Amino acid sequence: MKKLIIPLILFITHLTSAQIEKTSDTLEIWTLFSIGNFVNQNAERIVEKKWPFKIKGVAGDAFVEDLIDSVEIHNNKVWNYLDAHGYSESKKVFKSDLLAEINRIKKAVQISDADKRIMDLFEKWRKSERQNYTQLNKLSDIKYEFVLYSFDINKLDEGQRFELKYITDLENERITILK
């Protein structure tokens, strides 16, 4: 009887610890980001959806060098965990996905910045001293939706005002105004 109980206890302990490991914490990849980097922040948000982890910025524009080492150590544990659980070369694939997304978003922004209607809107905001907020949505690998809002920094209680919604087509290098 003793011989049967011990393996049973070990089996139950293993199942319990495996369940706790799965639910106790979410995986996080830490980044050292630059505050206000529209392209990188959106690329990380988009690419993150394809992975079983969250991306968390742990430092702003200034940080101590020791932080780089601790970020790398932490992230390597996550990459090793992923590689041991069905992923292959997760770090390399993630970096490739992220770089591709960064390049697509940069191109979408360049197309947007070259459009006279967009340039005129930003100039109008500059003259009226309004701040802008841009929401970016990925529709496909060649199309991104931009939703532009503005707000008066001195009258924050008025909230933001919708200004423009458009789609940037990377393949045709064209903008389609929606609203």
Side-chain angles (χ1 to χ4, degrees), residues 7-178:
L8 184 60
I9 290 173
L10 288 174
F11 179 70
I12 291 171
T13 303
H14 177 70
L15 285 177
T16 306
S17 67
Q19 188 66 22
I20 291 170
E21 184 178 310
K22 277 185 173 180
T23 60
S24 67
D25 200 12
T26 59
L27 295 174
E28 290 180 338
I29 289 296
W30 293 351
T31 63
L32 305 172
F33 64 94
S34 178
I35 296 171
N37 188 326
F38 177 81
V39 172
N40 286 11
Q41 286 176 340
N42 279 286
E44 288 174 354
R45 179 183 55 82
I46 290 167
V47 170
E48 173 184 79
K49 292 176 184 175
K50 298 188 317 188
W51 289 88
F53 55 73
K54 295 290 182 192
I55 298 175
K56 180 180 178 183
V58 294
D61 291 334
F63 51 86
V64 294
E65 275 193 48
D66 292 346
L67 186 58
I68 295 172
D69 293 335
S70 61
V71 166
E72 284 187 30
I73 289 168
H74 168 82
N75 289 349
N76 284 336
K77 289 178 184 176
V78 175
W79 300 129
N80 291 336
Y81 175 84
L82 291 174
D83 289 345
H85 289 85
Y87 287 83
S88 178
E89 297 186 40
S90 57
K91 181 178 181 179
K92 182 179 175 183
V93 173
F94 171 76
K95 286 189 176 207
S96 175
D97 287 351
L98 185 61
L99 183 59
E101 196 63 47
I102 286 170
N103 289 332
R104 285 190 295 267
I105 293 172
K106 280 182 180 178
K107 185 174 181 181
V109 169
Q110 288 171 347
I111 293 167
S112 297
D113 288 348
D115 188 89
K116 183 170 176 17
R117 297 166 290 189
I118 307 301
M119 289 177 18
D120 289 346
L121 184 57
F122 278 95
E123 182 61 22
K124 175 183 139 188
W125 289 337
R126 188 187 63 74
K127 286 180 180 176
S128 66
E129 297 182 353
R130 291 187 69 80
Q131 300 296 311
N132 68 303
Y133 167 73
T134 303
Q135 180 182 346
L136 179 70
N137 300 306
K138 181 178 181 174
L139 304 176
S140 71
D141 278 348
I142 61 166
K143 291 188 179 183
Y144 290 86
E145 176 188 71
F146 289 78
V147 184
L148 306 179
Y149 300 90
S150 71
F151 60 93
D152 187 335
I153 196 91
N154 297 315
K155 300 176 184 172
L156 291 176
D157 56 318
E158 291 180 4
Q160 60 188 16
R161 178 171 69 200
F162 170 79
E163 296 281 351
L164 184 65
K165 183 177 186 179
Y166 63 91
I167 293 176
T168 301
D169 183 329
L170 303 181
E171 191 172 71
N172 299 314
E173 297 190 9
R174 182 178 353 172
I175 287 178
T176 303
I177 304 289
L178 302 175

